Coordinates of all heavy atoms in Angstrom, one line a residue:
Y261 N 6.5 20.7 -8.3 CA 5.8 20.1 -9.2 C 4.6 20.9 -9.5 O 3.7 21.0 -8.7 CB 5.5 18.7 -8.9 CG 4.8 17.9 -10.0 CD1 5.5 17.3 -11.1 CD2 3.4 17.9 -10.1 CE1 4.8 16.6 -12.1 CE2 2.7 17.2 -11.1 CZ 3.4 16.6 -12.1 OH 2.8 15.9 -13.1
A262 N 4.4 21.6 -10.7 CA 3.3 22.4 -11.1 C 2.9 23.4 -10.0 O 3.8 24.2 -9.5 CB 2.1 21.5 -11.4
L263 N 1.8 23.3 -9.4 CA 1.3 24.3 -8.3 C 1.7 23.9 -7.0 O 1.5 24.6 -6.0 CB -0.2 24.5 -8.4 CG -0.8 25.1 -9.6 CD1 -2.4 25.2 -9.5 CD2 -0.3 26.5 -9.8
I264 N 2.3 22.7 -6.9 CA 2.8 22.2 -5.5 C 4.2 22.6 -5.3 O 5.2 22.1 -6.0 CB 2.6 20.7 -5.4 CG1 1.2 20.3 -5.7 CG2 3.1 20.1 -4.1 CD1 0.9 18.7 -5.7
R265 N 4.4 23.4 -4.3 CA 5.8 23.9 -4.0 C 6.5 22.8 -3.2 O 7.6 22.4 -3.5 CB 5.7 25.2 -3.2 CG 7.1 25.8 -2.7 CD 7.0 27.1 -2.1 NE 6.6 28.1 -3.1 CZ 6.3 29.3 -2.8 NH1 6.1 29.7 -1.6 NH2 5.9 30.2 -3.8
G283 N -9.9 22.3 -9.8 CA -8.7 23.1 -10.1 C -7.8 23.3 -8.9 O -6.8 24.0 -9.0
A284 N -8.2 22.7 -7.7 CA -7.3 22.9 -6.5 C -6.0 22.1 -6.7 O -5.1 22.5 -5.9 CB -8.1 22.4 -5.3
G285 N -5.9 21.1 -7.5 CA -4.6 20.4 -7.6 C -4.7 18.9 -7.4 O -3.7 18.2 -7.3
I288 N -3.1 17.2 -10.2 CA -1.6 17.4 -10.1 C -0.9 16.5 -9.3 O 0.1 15.8 -9.6 CB -1.4 18.9 -9.6 CG1 -1.9 19.9 -10.6 CG2 0.1 19.1 -9.3 CD1 -1.8 21.3 -10.1
A307 N 7.7 24.2 -11.4 CA 7.1 25.5 -11.1 C 8.3 26.5 -11.0 O 8.2 27.7 -11.5 CB 6.5 25.5 -9.7
Y757 N -6.4 22.1 -1.5 CA -6.8 23.5 -1.6 C -5.7 24.4 -2.1 O -4.5 24.1 -2.1 CB -7.3 24.0 -0.2 CG -6.3 23.9 0.9 CD1 -5.5 25.0 1.3 CD2 -6.0 22.8 1.5 CE1 -4.5 25.0 2.2 CE2 -5.0 22.7 2.5 CZ -4.3 23.9 2.8 OH -3.3 23.8 3.9
K758 N -6.1 25.6 -2.6 CA -5.1 26.6 -3.1 C -5.0 27.7 -2.1 O -5.8 28.0 -1.3 CB -5.7 27.2 -4.4 CG -5.6 26.2 -5.6 CD -6.0 27.0 -6.8 CE -6.0 26.2 -8.1 NZ -6.5 26.9 -9.3
E759 N -3.7 28.2 -2.1 CA -3.4 29.4 -1.3 C -2.6 30.3 -2.2 O -1.9 29.9 -3.1 CB -2.6 29.0 -0.1 CG -3.4 28.5 1.0 CD -2.6 28.3 2.3 OE1 -1.3 28.4 2.3 OE2 -3.2 28.0 3.3
T760 N -2.7 31.6 -2.0 CA -2.0 32.5 -2.8 C -0.9 33.2 -2.0 O -1.2 33.9 -1.0 CB -2.9 33.7 -3.4 OG1 -3.9 33.1 -4.1 CG2 -2.1 34.6 -4.2
D761 N 0.4 32.9 -2.3 CA 1.5 33.6 -1.7 C 1.7 34.9 -2.2 O 0.9 35.4 -3.1 CB 2.8 32.7 -1.8 CG 2.7 31.4 -1.0 OD1 1.7 31.3 -0.1 OD2 3.5 30.5 -1.2
A762 N 2.8 35.6 -1.9 CA 3.1 36.9 -2.4 C 3.4 36.9 -3.9 O 3.1 37.8 -4.6 CB 4.3 37.4 -1.6
D763 N 4.0 35.8 -4.4 CA 4.4 35.7 -5.8 C 3.6 34.8 -6.6 O 3.5 35.0 -7.9 CB 5.9 35.4 -5.8 CG 6.1 34.1 -5.1 OD1 5.4 33.7 -4.3 OD2 7.2 33.5 -5.5
R764 N 2.9 33.8 -6.1 CA 2.1 32.9 -6.9 C 1.2 32.1 -6.1 O 1.1 32.0 -4.8 CB 3.1 32.0 -7.6 CG 3.8 31.0 -6.7 CD 4.9 30.2 -7.6 NE 5.7 29.3 -6.8 CZ 5.5 28.0 -6.8 NH1 4.5 27.5 -7.5 NH2 6.2 27.1 -6.1
T765 N 0.3 31.3 -6.9 CA -0.7 30.5 -6.2 C -0.1 29.0 -6.1 O 0.5 28.6 -7.0 CB -1.9 30.4 -7.1 OG1 -2.5 31.7 -7.2 CG2 -3.0 29.5 -6.4
V766 N -0.3 28.4 -5.0 CA 0.2 27.1 -4.7 C -0.9 26.2 -4.2 O -1.9 26.6 -3.7 CB 1.4 27.1 -3.6 CG1 2.5 27.9 -4.1 CG2 0.9 27.6 -2.4
S767 N -0.8 24.9 -4.5 CA -1.6 23.8 -4.0 C -1.1 23.2 -2.8 O 0.1 23.0 -2.7 CB -1.9 22.8 -5.1 OG -2.7 23.3 -6.1
R768 N -2.0 23.0 -1.8 CA -1.6 22.3 -0.6 C -2.6 21.2 -0.3 O -3.7 21.2 -0.8 CB -1.5 23.2 0.6 CG -0.6 24.5 0.3 CD -0.4 25.2 1.6 NE 0.3 26.5 1.4 CZ 1.6 26.6 1.2 NH1 2.4 25.5 1.2 NH2 2.2 27.7 1.1

Side-chain angles (χ1 to χ4, degrees):
Y261 184 87
L263 294 180
I264 299 177
R265 178 172 292 171
I288 294 175
Y757 58 97
K758 286 182 179 179
E759 284 186 347
T760 302
D761 290 348
D763 54 344
R764 66 187 180 101
T765 300
V766 296
S767 287
R768 304 190 188 282

